[in-house]
Amino acid sequence: MEKYDPQTIEAKWQQVWADESSFHVPNPSPEEIAEHRERTYVVEMLPYPSGELHMGHTLNYTIGDVITHVRRRKGMQVLRPMGYDAFGLPAENAAIKEGGNPRTVIERNIASIREQMHRMGWAFDWSRELSTHEPEYYRWTQWLFLRFFERGLAYRKEAPVKWCPNDQTVLANEQVIDGRCERCGAEVEAKNLTQWFFRITDYADELLDEMDLLEQWPERVLTMQRNWIGRSQGARVVFRVEGSGDELPVFTTRPDTLFGATFFVLAPEHPLVAALVAGFEHETAVLDYVRRTAARSEVEREEKEKDGVFTGRYAVNPVNDEAIPIWVADYVLMGYGTGAIMAVPAHDERDHAFAERYGIEIRQVVAGPGRDVAEAGAFVSHTADEVLVNSGQFSDLSSPDGKVAITASLVEQGLGEETIAYRLRDWLLSRQRYWGCPIPIIHCETCGEVPVPDEQLPVVLPEIDDYVPKGRSPLAAAEDWVATTCPKCGGPARRETDTMDTFVDSSWYFIRYTDPHDDRLPFSRELADYWLPVNQYIGGIEHAVLHLLYARFFTKVMNELGLVGFREPFARLFNQGMITASGAKMSKSKGNVVDPLVFVERYGADTVRLYTLSMGPADEDMDWHDTGLEGPWRFLNRLWRIAHEQSVKPVSADPGDGALARRTHRTIAKVTDDIERRFFFHTPIAAVMELVNEIQREPDDPAARFATETAVSLIQPYAPHIAEELWGVLSAGEARLWETAWPEADPALLVVANVEVVLQVNGKLRDRLQVAAGTGEDELLAAALASERVQAHLEGREIRKTIVVPDRLVNIVV
RNA sequence: GCCGAAGUGGCGGAACUGGUAGACGCGCCGGACUCAAAAUCCGGUUCCCCUCGGGGAGUGUGGGUUCGAUUCCCACCUUCGGCACCA
C-alpha cells in the first residue's frame, strides 16, 4: 500500500476531468425539451476575479459541488456553470496603481482564479464559462438596456444623488451603508447630477408580492428586501399655502392625527421653498438655512439636534381650515414622500422635539388610559381603546376608525387620497468610471437621447491611456470615440460617456449560461425556460438588497418583454455563512486573511473541502482554525488505509444483515437526507466518520467491505479525488465513481435488530436494557419491573402510572 | 425604536416529529509502539459529591404545560445581523 499522497492523485483526476470534459452538460434537443426530463440548475454567485481564491469562494463552491455531485449521481441532468463578474473598480484601481490596463489585469486574474478552481477539483461545465467584460457578453447587456430604454424603464434625469469623493463616481442607494461608500468606506456626498436610472420603483409591489413564488429563501433575506422596499400605507393630504393657494401635498401614515397638526415642515431641498419666501422678511434667513444644510454631510445632518427656520408663511389644514406656520427643517427629507410633512408634535417624537425647541403648540388628539402627552411625551397610538379627542366631528372614534373616516372625508373634498409610499428609490445605474459596460446611447442636439441601433452593438469600450477618475467619466477624454453621428438624423452627435454599474452585468448572467455562445440574442427563450428558474442559488448574504433585488427586477422586466417565461430567477436560495479568523472578518488591512491554497498545498484539496464543510452549519458563520484540518486529514488517511485493507476481500461477498450492514444503510439514508432535504453538510461528514470508525473496530465483519465501499461513495461529493482513487482500488481499476449511481438505502435494513431501551423511574434514567427491536409493551414493562436497579428506586412505593414507548423507553411513575 | 436570527463541555458543534443531552471533530490527559521523536493505535475527557457500587446538578434566566422539555407556551436577559430623522 502506498502512502496517501493527495498532490499526486488530485493532479491525476483533475487531468482526467479536464481531458474528458467530465462535467459538460449539453443543451437539450427540442425533443428533449418537450420530454420534460428531470433536470436541475445549480448556480453559485459568480466571483469577482481578484486573482486569489478566498475562503468565501471555497465554501460557496464546495457546497455547490456537493449538491451537484449528489444530484448528478441520482440521475438528474445538472447544469452547473461558472463565470466572472469582471467589470468594476478593483481592476481599474489596480491598473491605475500598476500603470497597466484593466483588461490586462482582469484577464490575468481570471487565468489565475480559473487555475485555482481547477485545483480545488470543482465540477463545473467549463464549456459555458463567461466573463461580463467580454464584448460577446456585454453586447447583450447593452441590448437589454435598450429594451428597458424603449419601455421607459431606463431614463435620465437630474436628481440629488450620492457621490463617493474617493471613487469619484455616483453610487446607487443600495451601495451606501450608513452614509458611507460600500466599496471604500468614504463618507458620501449629496450632489445634483443628471444620471441614468432604472425604474425599479415601478416594480416595488411585484418585488414584494411575488416573494410568494419563491420556493425557499432564507427569511432574513426576504425581511431585508421588505425593509428595503419599505412599503407603507397612508394618505396623501393636500395643504394649501395661505395667500397664494399653492398646493403642498404631504404623505402621512397617520391621517387620524390631522387635527393635531400645529405646524408644517418643508425639506430644505423642496422646490417651492425659494418661491415661498421670495420677497418676504424671512427670505434671507431661510435661504441661509438652505445653504447651510447643503454643506452638511448626511451623517452630520442626522446626528445634530433638530433645527429649522420659520418661513413667515402659513399652510391651511384641510380638516379644520386652521392656518399653521410653515417651517423649513432638514429633518424632513426630499427623498421620501413629498418632501413636506404635517407636524403632529403630540404623536411623533421628532415633531415633538422640534416643537419643544421652538415653543410650538403640542396638541393631543389621541387619548387612552395612561396616555397623556403632558406627562408621557409624544406617543404613537397602538391599541383599540385609544380614541380621537379634540378632533371635531371625528372625536371619540377609535384611532383606526378615525383614519378611515378622516381619509374618506378628504377624498370627498378632493383634498386627499389613500396612497402608498415606498422607501425604495430608482436604481441609479450610471458610473463615472472607465472599466464598465458602455451605455449604448448617443446624445444628439436635435434628436435628444438616441439609442444605438441593435446592429451596431456592441458599443465597444475604447482603449484609453488615462483611467484616473476626475469626476467625469474617463471615456469623455476619448474624443475620437465620443464624436459620432446621430443614427436618426445623421448629424453630429456625442456618445454617452458614463458606464454601467456592474450590478447590471450580473443581473442576467445566470440566463446567459444556458446559451452562452448565442450571437443572435442574449439567450434563447426555449433554453432559458428549460433550465430556469434556478433550482438552487448559492451565495453570500451581502447581496440581499443588491444583486438579489436587481436580478429579481431584471427577470420581471425580461418576462414582460417576452424574453423569458418566468417571473422569479431563483426558486431556492442558500446563503452560506462567513468564514472568520479568530472571530473576525478576514481582511487585508487586519492581516488575518487565511489563504485556502496554502492548505491545499499542505493537505490537498480534499482535506480543505472536507474541513470547510465540517466546521458547522453552512449557513452560519464559522471560525477557521488551522489545527481543525487535522481531523479531516486523519480521517482521509484512515479511509485510505482501510480501503486498501478491505480491497483484498472478495468483491461479491454478501454483506448480510448484521449490525454493520444495517449501520451502513442508515448512514446512506442520513447522508442523503441531510444533504438533500436539510441542507446540512457537516453532519453527513460526521456520519461517514462514524461508519469508518465502526469498520475499524470490526474489520472482519462480513459487511466490512461493503461498508468501506459505501463510505468511499458517500464521501465522493466532498472529497472527489481520494474517493475516485479508492473506488479504483476497491473495484480493481473501474474508476468512474462520479458516474456511479448514488447509493440507495434498503428500507428493510434501516431498522436496527437490537435496541437499547431506557428504564426510567419518575423520568430519571435508572437502567438500560438490550432487547430485540419491536418487543411488545407488556414484555418491556415486565422486563423493566424485573430490573434490580429499577426495583431499588421503587422500594415498595405505589406505582401510579407507567409509560412504555416501544424501542425507546419505559417510565414508571411512583 | 421596528424586524430577523441565535444562546448546549476548554473549543466548533450533534440531538430533525417532546423520549438515553454532549454524536463527530479539535484540544487536553493517560497508555501502547519507539533509543527518542513524528505518525499511528488504545483508553479517558460536562460539573459537583462519593468507600472504586453509585448519588446529585446541568442546554442564557425565571415561570408554565407534560410521566418526561435543548425541543412546546409565557416573561425576561444577552449576543449577532438588517432597517431607521421614512413622516
Side-chain angles (χ1 to χ4, degrees):
Chain A
M1 181 186 85
E2 281 170 42
K3 196 167 149 276
Y4 169 44
D5 175 17
Q7 304 305 332
T8 309
I9 66 163
E10 289 179 3
K12 169 182 158 188
W13 290 108
Q14 283 157 16
Q15 194 59 52
V16 171
W17 296 330
D19 290 348
E20 296 190 1
S21 302
S22 305
F23 305 109
H24 171 56
V25 180
N27 271 331
S29 63
E31 298 79 53
E32 284 171 321
I33 290 177
E35 269 173 29
H36 288 290
R37 295 174 58 187
E38 197 173 14
R39 56 104 198 127
T40 186
Y41 187 15
V42 178
V43 195
E44 295 108 304
M45 290 180 188
L46 83 179
Y48 178 82
S50 65
E52 299 297 327
L53 206 63
H54 58 68
M55 279 302 167
H57 299 130
T58 309
L59 177 59
N60 194 167
Y61 304 145
T62 306
I63 293 170
D65 223 42
V66 170
I67 295 168
T68 300
H69 278 302
V70 172
R71 291 190 182 173
R72 191 189 297 278
R73 290 179 56 197
K74 288 200 122 190
M76 291 177 112
Q77 200 185 16
V78 189
L79 177 59
R80 206 273 187 125
M82 182 44 68
Y84 312 99
D85 186 18
F87 274 135
L89 282 179
E92 192 176 329
N93 289 340
I96 290 166
K97 211 165 149 193
E98 299 166 20
N101 179 300
R103 185 186 314 281
T104 320
V105 171
I106 213 73
E107 287 177 356
R108 191 179 63 213
N109 287 351
I110 287 173
S112 151
I113 205 164
R114 181 193 292 124
E115 167 88 30
Q116 295 176 25
M117 288 180 164
H118 278 286
R119 182 64 195 87
M120 292 303 298
W122 290 319
F124 296 115
D125 179 351
W126 290 104
S127 74
R128 296 169 185 267
E129 188 183 29
L130 58 81
S131 183
T132 57
H133 80 290
E134 290 162 350
E136 300 76 52
Y137 181 88
Y138 71 68
R139 168 183 179 186
W140 301 110
T141 306
Q142 293 173 340
W143 187 90
L144 286 167
F145 173 91
L146 292 176
R147 303 291 84 78
F148 278 54
F149 179 77
E150 288 161 3
R151 290 210 144 203
L153 293 172
Y155 67 95
R156 206 163 86 115
K157 71 162 183 195
E158 188 184 313
V161 298
K162 322 262 182 173
W163 173 265
C164 173
N166 182 45
D167 290 334
Q168 293 276 304
T169 182
V170 296
L171 300 170
N173 273 11
E174 288 79 6
Q175 287 159 335
V176 180
I177 315 286
D178 292 331
R180 292 173 180 279
C181 170
E182 177 225 16
R183 284 230 78 86
C184 68
E187 215 171 278
V188 303
E189 295 166 4
K191 276 198 178 189
N192 253 328
L193 291 171
T194 302
Q195 295 293 324
W196 285 95
F197 294 86
F198 280 133
R199 219 176 278 284
I200 191 172
T201 51
D202 275 10
Y203 290 79
D205 283 328
E206 283 94 332
L207 288 166
L208 284 171
D209 298 342
E210 291 173 6
M211 286 182 180
D212 291 346
L213 301 175
L214 304 171
E215 275 175 47
Q216 179 70 257
W217 275 43
E219 194 51 46
R220 58 178 169 163
V221 176
L222 297 178
T223 304
M224 283 165 75
Q225 292 206 354
R226 276 190 211 104
N227 284 345
W228 190 259
I229 295 165
R231 180 187 154 109
S232 50
Q233 190 98 31
R236 187 182 139 98
V237 181
V238 179
F239 283 65
R240 284 181 201 279
V241 179
E242 193 182 46
S244 76
D246 284 343
E247 292 195 348
L248 285 177
V250 302
F251 171 76
T252 177
T253 54
R254 302 302 312 278
D256 51 322
T257 64
L258 255 165
F259 285 84
T262 52
F263 62 105
F264 191 98
V265 190
L266 289 172
E269 298 84 0
H270 197 287
L272 288 183
V273 168
L276 194 70
V277 294
F280 284 81
E281 62 163 308
H282 295 78
E283 182 174 8
T284 322
V286 170
L287 296 182
D288 260 5
Y289 180 82
V290 170
R291 221 169 294 125
R292 279 208 309 281
T293 300
R296 283 178 186 140
S297 76
E298 274 202 15
V299 179
E300 213 182 323
R301 185 166 165 174
E302 197 168 321
E303 281 172 359
K304 70 168 177 54
E305 225 181 291
K306 290 188 190 359
D307 60 16
V309 57
F310 178 46
T311 60
R313 305 292 304 268
Y314 292 82
V316 179
N317 186 337
V319 291
N320 56 8
D321 290 333
E322 188 178 346
I324 56 176
I326 301 175
W327 289 67
V328 171
D330 66 0
Y331 77 93
V332 173
L333 309 174
M334 197 56 222
Y336 184 76
T338 62
I341 62 159
M342 61 170 207
V344 183
H347 305 292
D348 181 283
E349 269 185 37
R350 294 153 299 170
D351 297 346
H352 192 263
F354 194 84
E356 293 238 292
R357 174 165 183 171
Y358 293 104
I360 302 169
E361 184 196 349
I362 298 167
R363 186 189 303 161
Q364 179 165 357
V365 291
V366 180
R371 303 288 253 163
D372 187 84
V373 171
E375 284 165 24
F379 70 87
V380 176
S381 68
H382 61 281
T383 61
D385 56 357
E386 286 165 349
V387 296
L388 305 198
V389 294
N390 301 323
S391 298
Q393 60 183 109
F394 303 102
S395 293
D396 299 329
L397 286 176
S398 75
S399 181
D401 290 346
K403 242 180 228 182
V404 174
I406 291 177
T407 307
S409 131
L410 288 168
V411 170
E412 214 170 282
Q413 300 167 62
L415 290 172
E417 58 185 344
E418 273 188 48
T419 184
I420 292 162
Y422 300 90
R423 211 188 74 91
L424 184 69
R425 304 265 70 87
D426 272 343
W427 170 11
L428 200 176
L429 73 108
S430 44
R431 296 290 179 273
Q432 290 68 55
R433 295 291 298 235
Y434 168 72
W435 188 235
C437 175
I439 295 173
I441 291 288
I442 290 167
H443 298 285
C444 169
E445 294 250 333
T446 42
C447 310
E449 289 156 5
V450 182
V452 173
D454 286 356
E455 59 276 14
Q456 287 176 28
L457 297 181
V459 174
V460 177
L461 187 64
E463 299 285 330
I464 62 168
D465 300 325
D466 183 9
Y467 318 108
V468 181
K470 299 173 183 71
R472 60 167 197 164
S473 179
L475 285 182
E479 194 47 50
D480 289 352
W481 179 82
V482 173
T484 186
T485 50
C486 172
K488 225 175 191 174
C489 67
R494 301 180 68 76
R495 289 187 188 278
E496 170 64 51
T497 57
D498 282 355
T499 53
M500 294 188 209
D501 180 2
T502 57
F503 282 109
V504 182
D505 309 326
S506 58
S507 287
W508 71 281
Y509 76 100
F510 43 89
I511 313 182
R512 179 70 179 175
Y513 280 143
T514 65
D515 194 11
H517 309 298
D518 198 330
D519 58 3
R520 301 160 16 258
L521 282 170
F523 44 80
S524 102
R525 171 155 179 178
E526 287 69 33
L527 290 172
D529 286 353
Y530 177 77
W531 289 110
L532 279 95
V534 173
N535 298 84
Q536 190 61 59
Y537 200 38
I538 312 167
I541 185 78
E542 66 272 19
H543 290 297
V545 290
L546 289 157
H547 165 60
L548 289 169
L549 191 66
Y550 296 147
R552 293 184 62 215
F553 160 64
F554 249 63
T555 301
K556 293 178 196 311
V557 176
M558 288 189 283
N559 172 263
E560 281 157 31
L561 288 164
L563 296 171
V564 298
F566 46 90
R567 296 283 296 170
E568 286 287 343
F570 314 119
R572 286 169 169 264
L573 170 70
F574 183 83
N575 285 125
Q576 84 268 19
M578 194 173 40
I579 297 186
T580 56
S582 308
K585 190 174 177 170
M586 293 183 195
S587 75
K588 277 187 186 160
S589 57
K590 282 189 213 130
N592 65 345
V593 177
V594 181
D595 177 1
L597 271 304
V598 167
F599 294 94
V600 170
E601 273 173 42
R602 196 178 302 167
Y603 294 98
D606 283 338
T607 296
V608 171
R609 294 170 54 123
L610 211 47
Y611 175 60
T612 307
L613 290 184
S614 71
M615 291 159 79
D619 57 353
E620 289 174 24
D621 290 352
M622 292 163 269
D623 207 45
W624 178 274
H625 294 277
D626 292 359
T627 55
L629 283 147
E630 288 292 334
W633 169 248
R634 286 172 193 155
F635 165 70
L636 290 182
N637 275 283
R638 205 176 314 142
L639 184 62
W640 178 269
R641 203 174 48 247
I642 288 172
H644 279 85
E645 284 164 14
Q646 294 292 332
S647 68
V648 300
K649 294 188 181 171
V651 180
S652 56
D654 177 12
D657 62 354
L660 185 56
R662 286 168 186 268
R663 180 177 205 105
T664 306
H665 282 278
R666 285 206 311 280
T667 306
I668 295 170
K670 176 167 176 63
V671 170
T672 310
D673 184 59
D674 279 359
I675 294 173
E676 291 209 312
R677 181 180 62 85
R678 298 174 77 199
F679 258 76
F680 267 33
F681 300 97
H682 59 316
T683 47
I685 298 172
V688 176
M689 283 178 169
E690 279 184 77
L691 181 62
V692 170
N693 291 346
E694 204 58 46
I695 302 167
Q696 181 158 286
R697 268 191 286 276
E698 303 288 346
D700 298 322
D701 189 288
R705 189 189 166 119
F706 163 66
T708 307
E709 285 170 8
T710 305
V712 167
S713 180
L714 291 176
I715 212 66
Q716 181 270 346
Y718 291 85
H721 313 87
I722 188 175
E724 209 55 54
E725 187 69 22
L726 293 179
W727 193 250
V729 168
L730 285 162
S731 50
E734 251 181 74
R736 286 267 157 193
L737 183 51
W738 75 85
E739 291 173 350
T740 301
W742 186 249
E744 264 187 67
D746 178 352
L749 292 177
L750 283 181
V751 283
V752 281
N754 291 294
V755 291
E756 190 181 68
V757 169
V758 174
L759 306 183
Q760 298 177 331
V761 176
N762 284 351
K764 282 201 165 62
L765 175 74
R766 295 306 174 189
D767 202 359
R768 299 153 197 272
L769 204 62
Q770 293 291 337
V771 298
T775 303
E777 293 194 18
D778 295 346
E779 201 178 325
L780 280 177
L781 183 58
L785 291 170
S787 156
E788 280 178 31
R789 292 186 186 175
V790 169
Q791 281 176 358
H793 288 274
L794 295 178
E795 273 189 2
R797 288 190 277 178
E798 189 192 345
I799 295 173
R800 295 181 34 198
K801 192 173 181 181
T802 56
I803 292 103
V804 182
V805 183
D807 292 350
R808 285 218 177 257
L809 59 75
V810 177
N811 188 11
I812 298 167
V813 186
V814 293

